[in-house]
Amino acid sequence: MNRFDYVRPASIAEAVAAAAIPGSAFLAGGTNLVDLMKLGALRPSRVVDIALLPGLEDIEWLSDGGVRIGARVCNADLAYDARVARTFPAVAEALLATGSAQLRNAATLGGNLMQRTRCAYFTDTASACNRRAPGSGCDASGGQNRLHAVLGWSEHCIATHPSDVCVPLVALDAVVEVIGPAGAREIALDALHLLPHHTPERETALAPGELIVALRIPGVAARFAGHARFLKLRERTSFASAVVSAAAALEIEGNTIRSARIAMGGVGTKPWRALDAEAVLAGAPPGKDSFERAASAALEGAAPSGNNAFKIDLARRLVVRALRSAADGTPQIMPALPASAFSTESKAGESRVA
């Protein structure tokens, strides 16, 4: 770990001023930043500790039925908030599928939104990584890339975004509130994370020194409360990133889907909103045919970035399952992915997940 200055500001204004200095990094729960500093993957010259900043730890219900969540609210507190779980069940399910119980007690919502990729070539300082060292290359492209992106990748970076809770939050049109040297502004969560293109080192739309202070889920998202689910396929039941994940939310009247929200994780270089799939479902009856057509639309344009073609079919199947679960209104968190689910992968890139 490199030597660095440590600053503990007393206010948001002090935090923003301290972090505006190049080479600075915010510290809250520390579950991602500290690990990466120990590995040498991140080497900030200044760490700005916001763990005790007032005004960032509240869950506030809004007049429109939405909720404003402070950036320092920990994952466990948010997941076990009864009203959040009742109103936005997919968000609670995603939080409970994240990390381990110990990590959920420490990790914050803001840190979850800003966490870095779990690509092994990013964390290994002996490897070429354009995110960590711009212009150095992408060793993942010709390396162990079974779990890398099939959507949104470029020749410069094929790493997936690791957040679970970002998936349902993107689907529900969440908005982040930001304060920086230039003042306050809002950013749609779907616009916060950037595609790699030619500049994979620029992962978010935040300017230097900007701090996420809260996230809002709009009240209109509550209309999906009875039919919203998050499913995650992973290789063990705890402390594992998604192989693929899916959030599905349906507004159903009679035998008709009035509107739908779909997003995927583990497949894209950012949390992936499937707008075309949502359009397929609008006005359609809930059922196998509609769900399969929507899932195909969700993966339209997907392409393997390496030895990971199996993820395309796996994600398609999981979207169908998430939609079916949402339509049934039955809470379900995905168990660990059994080894048999990948038994045909080496032959034809297929999966047995139905």
Side-chain angles (χ1 to χ4, degrees), residues 80-258:
Y80 288 113
D81 182 282
R83 188 170 174 183
V84 169
R86 184 172 61 251
T87 311
F88 309 112
V91 173
E93 289 180 341
L95 288 164
L96 291 174
T98 298
S100 63
Q102 295 91 333
L103 286 174
R104 291 192 292 272
N105 285 333
T108 64
L109 177 63
N112 196 305
L113 304 184
M114 293 297 294
Q115 65 182 295
R116 309 297 292 274
T117 181
R118 297 299 189 270
C119 175
Y121 299 95
F122 173 75
T123 57
D124 176 17
T125 57
S127 299
C129 174
N130 287 319
R131 285 187 186 242
R132 177 173 31 79
S136 63
C138 176
D139 278 350
S141 293
Q144 296 294 320
N145 47 35
R146 173 178 167 274
L147 298 181
H148 283 67
V150 294
L151 287 165
W153 58 274
S154 74
E155 62 179 308
H156 302 285
C157 183
I158 63 173
T160 57
H161 191 274
S163 175
D164 290 321
V165 75
C166 276
V167 178
L169 288 174
V170 162
L172 296 176
D173 293 313
V175 174
V176 291
E177 299 177 8
V178 174
I179 295 178
R185 66 181 179 126
E186 297 181 351
I187 308 172
L189 183 58
D190 194 34
L192 175 67
H193 302 101
L194 306 178
L195 295 176
H197 298 304
H198 296 283
T199 55
E201 73 277 8
R202 187 162 182 249
E203 298 181 18
T204 75
L206 295 183
E210 284 194 316
L211 172 67
I212 294 176
V213 295
L215 175 139
R216 290 200 320 274
I217 305 176
V220 293
R223 67 176 183 245
F224 300 108
H227 299 280
R229 298 292 171 255
F230 173 82
L231 300 183
K232 176 179 179 178
L233 286 172
R234 48 187 167 174
E235 294 183 308
R236 58 179 184 266
T237 56
S238 181
F239 198 54
S241 297
V243 178
V244 297
S245 66
L250 301 173
E251 183 185 12
I252 300 175
E253 282 191 2
N255 194 41
T256 301
I257 299 171
R258 281 195 58 188

